[in-house]
Amino acid sequence: MTAYKDLSKDELKALKKELTRKFEEVKAKGLKLDMSRGKPSTEQLNLSMGMMDVLTSSSDLVCEEGVDCRNYGVLDGIREAKQLLADMMEVPKDNIVIFGNSSLNVMYDTVARSMIHGVMGSTPWCKLDKVKFLCPVPGYDRHFAITEHFGIEMINVPMTPTGPDMDMIEKLVSSDPAIKGIWCVPKYSNPQGITYSDETVHRFAKLNPAAEDFRIYWDNAYGIHHLYEDKQDYLIEILMECKKEGHPDMVYKFSSTSKISFPGSGIAAIAASDANLAEIREQMKIQTIGHDKLNQLRHARYFKNIHGMVEHMKKHAASMRPKFDTVLASLEKELGGLEIGSWLAPRGGYFISFDSLDGCAKAIVAKAKEAGLIMTNAGATYPYGKDPHDSNIRIAPSYPTLDEIKRAMEVFTLSVKLVSVEKLLAQVK
Amino acid sequence: MTAYKDLSKDELKALKKELTRKFEEVKAKGLKLDMSRGKPSTEQLNLSMGMMDVLTSSSDLVCEEGVDCRNYGVLDGIREAKQLLADMMEVPKDNIVIFGNSSLNVMYDTVARSMIHGVMGSTPWCKLDKVKFLCPVPGYDRHFAITEHFGIEMINVPMTPTGPDMDMIEKLVSSDPAIKGIWCVPKYSNPQGITYSDETVHRFAKLNPAAEDFRIYWDNAYGIHHLYEDKQDYLIEILMECKKEGHPDMVYKFSSTSKISFPGSGIAAIAASDANLAEIREQMKIQTIGHDKLNQLRHARYFKNIHGMVEHMKKHAASMRPKFDTVLASLEKELGGLEIGSWLAPRGGYFISFDSLDGCAKAIVAKAKEAGLIMTNAGATYPYGKDPHDSNIRIAPSYPTLDEIKRAMEVFTLSVKLVSVEKLLAQVK
């Protein structure tokens, strides 16, 4: 393979002609493909169908603490659900509070509470002139949407293969008291699939924030979402590390079963220090009488324990693995050596992140759309939807079938090539 | 029956002695009774057990709009759930948004949104020096807890047999721009069981608030929770009335199936104007990817339609009616004519409200507790827990069995008598 940058103007012109012809052929097929969201496939949903039969009219619906799960009572989660999610999140059962179906909602509520009531006695953020969050980029668009919604200024922090740039984080967090938080997806990150290294986690736990109400928003969305049995990332547990470093209150950890059981009908949880949870419960008891305990019971009885959940995740992995492998093989085969894009091969999570030549991402996504393939909007992985290099594109291979992915990747790689050639042609004299 | 106030000092003394003897007898039984919360009984929970069998692993889990309810998608509720709750709330299907399991949570979020983002472009309440809510009293403690939590000043408005004092409300709302809302339980109110009269609803719809962001918080928690088939209250639908009066945006209406299906595992909704709902959806799409659609589908398929729900509520009524009748009969038999308390006979809802002689409620609740009966805290029905007359006590007969209610009412009426005699004795020379 010759790198595109080493081609002459005439060669690029010829290549463009050839790629355009191929693109028109593909476009003529009138495809309708979607690789835009991290949505489980129907095959994956079917894996949890047993859950629909766990609770029936002849079931005993009393939970371990003796409460009838059909009635009011138990504010912060039934014991068996706490145990299951605590094991999933690798924290003690007493450091967890169970919520409704959405961890995003828990994160939203956490920011909202800080805005209105402050954090453990600090000034409510809505009374401050300026509140800032650090945002490792590329990252998760829905995180950025929350902070933007609350008028919080977002500062980009570049990701590296071991996690976000810790030098930059340490410097900013220790010097600017307006910085109140940082969004992290520490394992199989969205969209790159990077897991923070041991050193990164240690440096997080050792942060000395200028703001007493600074918190790490640790969204461990893909904690047990491995792709391979033999190649798995390990992430150091952050609550314990923060405790060891004398900063037990510095982190909120979020997770849910949305991509384990059913998206939208799972259960979410927050894990944090005793002091943080005491404050959270104070709000919670005003906000609700309690979350859906029948669904908590359904989850606890279906998975039985963390081992059951881990075994269940192997089935998800078996369904996801060939999809990821197909995307990676296609990228390698079609784009390898051309030096018009780069990507990482993640060991888990829901995404593959692709970086095009600078200034090409928007055009590539538009091109793919022309041929019937919907990708996540270019820029979505950055705060305010603004990718300064216009280069990052998130590939979400979970929902389509293997066959659809093959066709989608044909469109995608063709779009990358065509836009790259056009870009290079515009640059040569 | 001679009214206690007409008894001589000696007669009161003799009566006190006799009541004290009886009270000690009852106390010696070591009872453990609870009439404190509006919690459905086990018998009532059993009425909905069929709901546990509606969705199984062999069910088609695709909703009317063709979405797989197991997956992400559909932000504001599936069509069939919207139709069911719209009929329940007597509003068009398009004027409803479905939430999670708790209408209290929806109300909390509504206030929180107004605090941080304001209401349809108005100044966020957290930026104002003073925000006030009107609180018809006696009322629902959890409403007052929300406004207190957000530092909103609460102003008591006395209830009358036709609803809150509308003269006072009209005067306050039209003159004070700091008044941003009013908490209403318009049908079978908590705790008095009063339904707002036609005139009251019309006057609500005709309010001319000084604050453009004033909203009526219309918590129609007991809209179809009748006790009798032949005696039912009718409440005029407020959304339509406000629309007719040219104030379509002035009301948020809340409801849930918590006391229809399962408390904690029901579905909640808000009904409001298009403009209000557009703003609510703007927030909602930041806050969550969507609520539990499987539970929405479970409800829609179980009840089938509003007729199914109405028929279902007759079973609840059959279970509740004898309990209410027992409480009322006991009050009449033990306290009738004594002029030491008054009460209303509601036609629906979850409570009977008792008013003792001024300054006796706390002592009565404490006395009852001495003999093993837990009542709702005296004062709970007022903002800040402060009943200015110390006279209102909420009786919640739903949870105990009929037999327990009989014993509970013996303790309660005895406590009322004893405390009243002591009060009168302290007053006579």
Side-chain angles (χ1 to χ4, degrees):
Chain A
M1 286 287 168
T2 312
Y4 277 18
K5 68 175 171 45
D6 298 331
L7 296 179
S8 70
K9 190 169 183 180
D10 284 344
E11 285 169 321
L12 285 170
K13 275 186 173 172
L15 184 58
K16 183 182 170 184
K17 201 174 162 191
E18 169 64 8
L19 290 168
T20 304
R21 190 190 54 75
K22 280 193 190 165
F23 186 82
E24 292 305 321
E25 268 179 34
V26 171
K27 197 172 148 184
K29 293 182 191 167
L31 299 172
K32 234 184 133 181
L33 300 161
D34 193 329
M35 292 207 299
S36 68
R37 299 298 319 178
K39 200 171 153 177
S41 65
T42 303
E43 183 179 272
Q44 286 176 275
L45 299 175
N46 288 340
L47 297 175
S48 302
M49 278 307 270
M51 183 167 279
M52 303 305 295
D53 301 326
V54 173
L55 302 186
T56 71
S57 59
S58 50
S59 301
D60 175 16
L61 299 173
V62 174
C63 63
E64 282 177 14
E65 54 257 69
V67 171
D68 188 332
C69 288
R70 298 171 301 175
N71 217 330
Y72 291 121
V74 189
L75 180 67
D76 68 352
I78 63 173
R79 202 182 297 158
E80 47 267 66
K82 279 188 178 174
Q83 186 64 63
L84 180 66
L85 267 73
D87 287 345
M88 179 182 111
M89 295 171 80
E90 302 173 327
V91 296
K93 177 165 63 56
D94 293 338
N95 285 107
I96 207 167
V97 162
I98 308 282
F99 282 81
N101 72 323
S102 161
S103 61
L104 194 73
N105 203 332
V106 184
M107 294 179 235
Y108 181 99
D109 281 4
T110 304
V111 176
R113 184 179 59 249
S114 308
M115 289 295 295
I116 300 174
H117 291 99
V119 179
M120 284 171 57
S122 73
T123 307
W125 297 353
C126 71
K127 304 285 185 198
L128 301 175
D129 290 334
K130 182 67 94 179
V131 174
K132 302 176 192 170
F133 258 57
L134 302 184
C135 301
V137 289
Y140 179 35
D141 54 353
R142 290 186 186 269
H143 285 164
F144 306 151
I146 289 175
T147 22
E148 185 174 1
H149 182 70
F150 286 104
I152 293 171
E153 184 183 318
M154 293 179 277
I155 300 167
N156 292 356
V157 176
M159 282 290 288
T160 78
T162 56
D165 179 339
M166 291 309 298
D167 290 341
M168 184 176 171
I169 290 173
E170 284 164 352
K171 202 177 147 206
L172 287 168
V173 166
S174 64
S175 62
D176 187 351
I179 295 175
K180 303 298 189 188
I182 179 167
W183 288 118
C184 296
V185 183
K187 193 165 180 183
Y188 303 137
S189 71
N190 178 350
Q192 294 168 300
I194 288 171
T195 298
Y196 293 10
S197 70
D198 295 358
E199 193 201 334
T200 297
V201 178
H202 287 137
R203 288 176 74 177
F204 263 108
K206 284 180 179 143
L207 284 177
N208 275 307
E212 57 173 10
D213 50 353
F214 171 84
R215 293 290 182 274
I216 303 163
Y217 285 64
W218 197 257
D219 180 7
N220 200 7
Y222 309 107
I224 57 172
H225 302 58
H226 309 286
L227 284 170
Y228 308 96
E229 280 200 52
D230 54 340
K231 294 183 292 178
Q232 296 189 350
D233 291 350
Y234 184 77
L235 175 72
I236 294 186
E237 200 290 299
I238 185 82
L239 247 71
M240 180 53 77
E241 289 312 302
C242 285
K243 198 173 176 184
K244 283 185 199 162
E245 294 299 335
H247 305 142
D249 304 329
M250 198 169 60
V251 60
Y252 300 125
K253 191 168 170 178
F254 306 93
S255 196
S256 82
T257 68
S258 291
K259 291 186 180 81
I260 298 172
S261 56
F262 296 125
S265 301
I267 53 178
I270 193 169
S273 69
D274 295 341
N276 278 322
L277 290 189
E279 182 176 48
I280 288 164
R281 286 193 193 93
E282 276 305 302
Q283 177 204 0
M284 201 173 181
K285 76 178 186 198
I286 306 292
Q287 189 173 27
T288 183
I289 305 175
H291 291 288
D292 185 344
K293 292 187 297 298
L294 287 175
N295 205 32
Q296 292 173 24
L297 191 67
R298 188 178 285 120
H299 278 73
R301 296 219 179 136
Y302 179 65
F303 291 112
K304 292 186 178 71
N305 52 44
I306 185 61
H307 179 66
M309 197 179 256
V310 165
E311 290 297 310
H312 182 78
M313 291 312 289
K314 290 183 184 170
K315 300 179 198 164
H316 278 285
S319 174
M320 293 277 273
R321 200 163 45 233
K323 297 182 177 183
F324 275 71
D325 288 347
T326 300
V327 170
L328 291 167
S330 168
L331 289 172
E332 192 52 48
K333 175 166 173 277
E334 296 296 326
L335 305 180
L338 301 185
E339 298 183 25
I340 54 172
S342 61
W343 57 91
L344 296 170
R347 295 175 165 189
Y350 265 66
F351 306 102
I352 291 164
S353 174
F354 179 83
D355 283 298
S356 69
L357 296 178
D358 278 17
C360 289
K362 270 191 208 308
I364 290 168
V365 170
K367 203 77 199 161
K369 193 176 176 186
E370 231 185 274
L373 168 63
I374 310 293
M375 303 290 297
T376 309
N377 282 334
T381 52
Y382 281 75
Y384 312 107
K386 286 180 192 158
D387 175 356
H389 295 280
D390 184 25
S391 69
N392 187 250
I393 299 174
R394 187 179 77 166
I395 303 173
S398 55
Y399 191 72
T401 62
L402 215 46
D403 188 55
E404 287 169 331
I405 290 170
K406 281 175 192 158
R407 281 179 289 159
M409 286 308 294
E410 188 187 358
V411 175
F412 180 71
T413 53
L414 207 46
S415 303
V416 171
K417 288 181 194 174
L418 197 46
V419 170
S420 304
V421 164
E422 283 165 356
K423 166 92 180 172
L424 290 167
L425 264 174
Q427 284 170 349
V428 291
K429 283 144 217 159
Chain B
M1 283 290 168
T2 312
Y4 276 18
K5 68 174 168 49
D6 297 330
L7 297 178
S8 70
K9 190 169 182 178
D10 284 345
E11 286 171 319
L12 285 170
K13 275 186 173 170
L15 184 58
K16 183 182 169 183
K17 202 174 163 193
E18 168 65 8
L19 289 168
T20 304
R21 190 190 55 75
K22 280 193 192 166
F23 187 82
E24 292 305 322
E25 268 178 34
V26 171
K27 197 172 146 182
K29 292 183 193 168
L31 299 172
K32 233 183 131 179
L33 301 161
D34 193 332
M35 292 207 298
S36 68
R37 299 300 316 179
K39 200 172 154 176
S41 66
T42 303
E43 183 179 271
Q44 285 176 277
L45 299 176
N46 288 340
L47 297 175
S48 300
M49 278 307 270
M51 181 165 281
M52 303 306 295
D53 301 326
V54 173
L55 302 186
T56 70
S57 59
S58 50
S59 302
D60 175 16
L61 300 174
V62 174
C63 63
E64 281 176 14
E65 54 258 70
V67 171
D68 188 331
C69 288
R70 298 172 300 174
N71 218 330
Y72 293 120
V74 189
L75 180 67
D76 68 353
I78 64 172
R79 202 183 296 158
E80 47 267 67
K82 279 187 179 176
Q83 186 63 64
L84 180 66
L85 267 73
D87 289 344
M88 179 181 111
M89 294 170 81
E90 303 174 327
V91 297
K93 176 164 65 58
D94 292 339
N95 285 108
I96 208 166
V97 162
I98 308 281
F99 282 80
N101 72 323
S102 161
S103 62
L104 193 74
N105 204 332
V106 184
M107 295 180 233
Y108 180 99
D109 282 3
T110 304
V111 176
R113 183 179 57 252
S114 309
M115 290 294 296
I116 299 174
H117 292 99
V119 179
M120 285 170 57
S122 74
T123 307
W125 297 353
C126 71
K127 304 285 186 197
L128 301 174
D129 289 335
K130 181 67 96 179
V131 175
K132 302 175 190 171
F133 258 57
L134 301 183
C135 300
V137 289
Y140 180 33
D141 54 354
R142 290 185 186 270
H143 285 164
F144 306 151
I146 289 175
T147 22
E148 184 173 1
H149 182 70
F150 285 104
I152 294 171
E153 184 184 317
M154 295 179 275
I155 300 168
N156 292 356
V157 176
M159 282 289 288
T160 77
T162 57
D165 179 339
M166 291 310 297
D167 291 341
M168 184 176 170
I169 290 173
E170 283 164 354
K171 202 177 146 207
L172 286 169
V173 166
S174 63
S175 63
D176 186 351
I179 295 175
K180 302 297 187 189
I182 179 168
W183 288 118
C184 297
V185 182
K187 193 164 179 182
Y188 303 136
S189 70
N190 178 352
Q192 293 167 300
I194 289 170
T195 298
Y196 293 10
S197 70
D198 294 359
E199 193 201 335
T200 297
V201 178
H202 287 136
R203 289 176 73 178
F204 262 108
K206 285 179 179 142
L207 284 176
N208 274 307
E212 59 174 8
D213 50 352
F214 170 85
R215 293 291 182 273
I216 302 163
Y217 285 64
W218 198 257
D219 180 7
N220 200 6
Y222 309 108
I224 57 171
H225 301 58
H226 310 286
L227 283 170
Y228 308 95
E229 280 200 53
D230 52 341
K231 295 183 291 179
Q232 297 189 352
D233 291 351
Y234 183 76
L235 175 74
I236 294 187
E237 200 291 298
I238 184 82
L239 246 71
M240 180 53 77
E241 289 312 301
C242 285
K243 199 173 177 183
K244 283 185 197 163
E245 294 299 335
H247 305 142
D249 304 328
M250 198 170 59
V251 60
Y252 300 126
K253 191 167 167 178
F254 307 93
S255 196
S256 83
T257 69
S258 291
K259 292 186 180 80
I260 298 172
S261 58
F262 295 126
S265 301
I267 52 178
I270 193 168
S273 69
D274 295 340
N276 278 322
L277 289 189
E279 182 177 47
I280 288 164
R281 287 193 194 94
E282 276 306 302
Q283 177 204 1
M284 202 172 180
K285 76 178 185 197
I286 306 293
Q287 191 173 26
T288 183
I289 304 175
H291 292 287
D292 185 345
K293 293 188 296 299
L294 287 175
N295 205 32
Q296 292 173 25
L297 191 67
R298 188 177 285 121
H299 277 74
R301 296 220 179 135
Y302 180 64
F303 291 112
K304 291 187 180 70
N305 52 43
I306 185 63
H307 178 65
M309 197 180 257
V310 165
E311 289 297 308
H312 182 78
M313 291 312 290
K314 289 182 184 170
K315 298 178 200 165
H316 278 284
S319 173
M320 294 277 274
R321 200 162 45 234
K323 296 182 178 184
F324 275 71
D325 288 346
T326 301
V327 169
L328 292 167
S330 167
L331 289 173
E332 193 52 49
K333 173 165 174 278
E334 296 296 329
L335 305 179
L338 302 185
E339 297 183 27
I340 53 173
S342 61
W343 58 91
L344 297 170
R347 293 173 165 190
Y350 264 69
F351 306 103
I352 292 164
S353 173
F354 179 83
D355 282 299
S356 69
L357 296 178
D358 278 17
C360 289
K362 268 191 208 308
I364 291 168
V365 169
K367 202 79 199 160
K369 192 177 177 187
E370 231 185 276
L373 168 62
I374 310 294
M375 303 292 296
T376 310
N377 281 336
T381 53
Y382 281 75
Y384 312 107
K386 286 180 192 158
D387 174 357
H389 295 280
D390 185 24
S391 68
N392 188 250
I393 300 173
R394 186 179 79 165
I395 302 173
S398 56
Y399 192 73
T401 62
L402 215 46
D403 188 56
E404 286 169 332
I405 290 173
K406 280 175 193 157
R407 280 179 289 158
M409 285 310 293
E410 187 187 359
V411 175
F412 180 72
T413 53
L414 206 46
S415 301
V416 172
K417 288 181 192 174
L418 196 47
V419 170
S420 303
V421 165
E422 282 165 358
K423 167 93 180 171
L424 290 167
L425 264 173
Q427 283 170 350
V428 292
K429 285 144 214 156

